Amino acid sequence: MLDQSKKAGVINIGSYCELSINGIHLFAVKNTFSGTHLRLFSPLEFIRVKENLDEDERLLFRTSVNKARTRLEILGCSEEKLKTYFKSGLEYQQSNNLEHNCDDDDEQMYYRDLTFENYSNCLRSILEISNLDIYNDDIMKIYPHLSIQPISKVIIEKLSSGGYLNPFFYDEIYENEEHLLDYLLDIYMCLINSQDDTFVEYDLTHIIHGRWVDEFEVLKYYDNFMDTTVIVTEGKTDIKILSRSLEILFPEYKHLFTFFDFHNYKADGGASYLTKLIKSFSAARIRNRIVAVFDNDTAAEAEIQSLLTIPILKNIKIIKLPKLDFCSSYPTLGPTGKSYLDINGLAVSIELFFGEDIIKNNHEFFPIKWTNYVEKLDMYQGSIVNKGELIIKMEEKLNNPDLNNQDWSKLILLWESIFLADLSAN
């Protein structure tokens, strides 16, 4: 029997919102939306689509597999974690079958053939069929290659029955086994077995038109999003550049990050202070994912080495600004005059990521000036000249971004390294 509910004086028949990849319906929720499913999207990806004059306007989120997968990786998913999840779930079910002397031949064959690789291959063969109608009774006749594998049959049966699309459960999941489920990893399994440019959609049309929820309620989910990665750096300039550049370069990931607030809390800066923060976060057992970004210079190296003997939390990832190719032969000023040296690891700060349109004058890079000697590492520390002037120019660039005519390549490189670091921090 269909569920019914009165809202605003109108009787509404139960409605579903559906998550699909490549036009294939994979997951559905009745009369509401799933925060888990919304994690695949950005609020910027909510769209209205009217595909023809005879149909109502569709209300949905749409993104690419690549972006959805990146978001889940920022949120903690990884192939390593997925394989561990798969292994533990499969071992549980195999031991459960032995314990209860399962005599279902199909079920025994399923678990006999089930491996991470086999499941991935079968799932991939299904997801590559655009707009596959999972409710078609003749699906195995239309696509005979799917009927060869018992695993493929089970996947199709799960999809068409609305069951959990979960690899290590042959049929329905009992309440006492809910703890074995990880909905993000189940979706992540689908994403890593789909083409990067394939569409991922979350269709909210029916639950919004049916007045179960409204658009404001759905989008408010992102306003209250708390499962963010915290970025901490050596100082307020780094934070300002990172936070503003994220909005410009990768606005679709903006809601997944928060930034340490140096300004309002008058916090101290510097490599040594960042080290103290990392120690404090570990001591307090902070649960958020944290990426601590040091400069790629001598002072940072000394601090990072001091942290090697301390039990830092696994959710805290310590990185340095990435190596820059053009810094392998960079102009420097020292007691012996001007020379060209590899300054990676010695004097690379956030200013070197501003772009050549900022850090060059008359086609020449602003040089690094050596400032002090770090005895512990037997290396010199340096910084770029005219730093204050360069920061002012960068603020103007952030206020008036032009991605086609300005150099943003180094900040893109930096953010890509943070995305990868966040993945390995989980």
Side-chain angles (χ1 to χ4, degrees):
M1 181 179 292
L2 293 172
D3 292 341
Q4 294 184 341
S5 175
K6 284 191 176 182
K7 283 199 171 187
V10 178
I11 295 179
N12 294 303
I13 297 173
S15 304
Y16 289 86
C17 59
E18 295 179 316
L19 180 70
S20 63
I21 297 177
N22 201 20
I24 306 171
H25 297 159
L26 301 178
F27 301 92
V29 179
K30 187 174 184 178
N31 298 343
T32 186
F33 60 88
S34 166
T36 298
H37 296 163
L38 287 184
R39 289 173 174 229
L40 278 69
F41 305 91
S42 158
L44 302 175
E45 293 167 340
F46 183 74
I47 60 173
R48 299 167 176 271
V49 179
K50 194 170 182 64
E51 295 176 339
N52 59 63
L53 294 176
D54 298 327
E55 291 188 3
D56 291 334
E57 187 177 55
R58 292 178 65 207
L59 308 172
L60 68 152
F61 287 89
R62 178 182 289 162
T63 192
S64 67
V65 163
N66 182 53
K67 289 182 179 179
R69 187 181 63 244
T70 298
R71 290 188 184 105
L72 292 197
E73 288 172 348
I74 290 171
L75 289 167
C77 294
S78 67
E79 191 163 335
E80 180 183 0
K81 185 179 287 187
L82 180 60
K83 288 180 177 178
T84 300
Y85 169 66
F86 188 99
K87 183 174 182 290
S88 61
L90 179 58
E91 288 176 347
Y92 169 85
Q93 281 292 47
Q94 288 175 334
S95 63
N96 192 47
N97 277 13
L98 287 174
E99 183 179 339
H100 294 90
N101 297 315
C102 176
D103 56 2
D104 186 327
D105 291 340
D106 288 341
E107 186 170 347
Q108 287 184 349
M109 185 181 298
Y110 174 77
Y111 285 119
R112 184 198 67 197
D113 294 343
L114 188 60
T115 65
F116 183 84
E117 290 73 22
N118 281 352
Y119 189 87
S120 295
N121 290 337
C122 291
L123 185 59
R124 190 178 305 116
S125 69
I126 292 169
L127 294 175
E128 68 186 9
I129 305 173
S130 298
N131 301 306
L132 176 67
D133 182 3
I134 58 175
Y135 304 111
N136 190 326
D137 293 335
D138 295 325
I139 192 170
M140 294 303 178
K141 294 179 182 177
I142 300 171
Y143 304 100
H145 69 284
L146 298 181
S147 63
I148 297 172
Q149 287 280 357
I151 296 172
S152 295
K153 290 181 180 179
V154 173
I155 293 173
I156 294 294
E157 288 170 4
K158 283 171 175 275
L159 290 175
S160 60
S161 66
Y164 293 97
L165 183 59
N166 182 282
F168 42 80
F169 286 101
Y170 183 80
D171 47 26
E172 292 301 315
I173 299 169
Y174 299 104
E175 289 183 7
N176 63 345
E177 294 167 335
E178 285 279 341
H179 68 283
L180 293 168
L181 292 174
D182 188 318
Y183 299 105
L184 279 184
L185 287 175
D186 288 344
I187 298 170
Y188 186 67
M189 171 70 91
C190 297
L191 293 171
I192 67 169
N193 287 297
S194 301
Q195 294 295 319
D196 280 359
D197 58 354
T198 302
F199 279 142
V200 182
E201 294 185 344
Y202 196 37
D203 195 333
L204 302 155
T205 304
H206 298 302
I207 64 166
I208 292 178
H209 286 335
R211 300 185 185 179
W212 295 101
V213 299
D214 57 35
E215 292 178 42
F216 175 78
E217 187 179 348
V218 175
L219 294 174
K220 190 174 177 60
Y221 167 83
Y222 294 102
D223 294 336
N224 300 323
F225 192 80
M226 298 298 292
D227 190 15
T228 58
T229 294
V230 181
I231 304 293
V232 292
T233 65
E234 293 190 19
K236 61 183 180 181
T237 297
D238 305 67
I239 288 294
K240 181 186 293 185
I241 300 303
L242 286 172
S243 61
R244 297 283 298 282
S245 63
L246 179 63
E247 294 177 8
I248 295 166
L249 300 172
F250 299 101
E252 65 271 28
Y253 303 132
K254 176 187 172 184
H255 66 286
L256 300 175
F257 292 91
T258 51
F259 298 86
F260 188 79
D261 189 347
F262 283 93
H263 177 72
N264 288 319
Y265 294 94
K266 311 298 182 185
D268 295 329
S272 62
Y273 187 77
L274 181 52
T275 299
K276 291 176 183 177
L277 274 179
I278 293 168
K279 291 178 180 178
S280 298
F281 290 153
S282 291
R285 307 199 68 78
I286 300 295
R287 299 183 66 180
N288 280 75
R289 294 175 304 279
I290 297 170
V291 177
V293 186
F294 282 90
D295 288 352
N296 191 3
D297 62 11
T298 305
E301 181 60 27
E303 294 298 327
I304 290 172
Q305 288 193 16
S306 73
L307 290 168
L308 295 178
T309 58
I310 297 172
I312 304 300
L313 293 176
K314 290 183 178 180
N315 56 299
I316 300 177
K317 182 64 178 180
I318 300 169
I319 67 170
K320 293 192 292 187
L321 294 175
K323 184 177 179 180
L324 294 170
D325 291 341
F326 73 91
C327 288
S328 61
S329 181
Y330 195 89
T332 66
L333 299 176
T336 59
K338 188 175 182 179
S339 60
Y340 287 82
L341 299 171
D342 186 351
I343 62 168
N344 287 296
L346 299 175
V348 173
S349 60
I350 193 70
E351 290 77 22
L352 276 299
F353 291 81
F354 286 179
E356 294 190 13
D357 48 355
I358 300 290
I359 62 171
K360 270 187 172 181
N361 183 37
N362 295 325
H363 306 292
E364 288 288 332
F365 287 108
F366 284 96
I368 293 294
K369 185 175 182 180
W370 300 115
T371 53
N372 61 296
Y373 174 71
V374 179
E375 186 173 357
K376 179 181 178 181
L377 299 177
D378 190 26
M379 294 190 299
Y380 281 92
Q381 168 77 12
S383 63
I384 197 166
V385 302
N386 296 347
K387 179 182 288 191
E389 176 187 333
L390 300 182
I391 291 173
I392 291 172
K393 288 183 177 180
M394 187 61 198
E395 288 177 345
E396 293 174 358
K397 182 175 176 177
L398 291 168
N399 290 331
N400 300 283
D402 183 348
L403 298 181
N404 293 321
N405 297 303
Q406 297 168 338
D407 180 13
W408 294 88
S409 60
K410 307 307 180 293
L411 283 169
I412 291 173
L413 172 68
L414 173 50
W415 268 112
E416 288 174 344
S417 72
I418 291 173
F419 295 152
L420 290 173
D422 193 30
L423 168 61
S424 63
N426 299 285

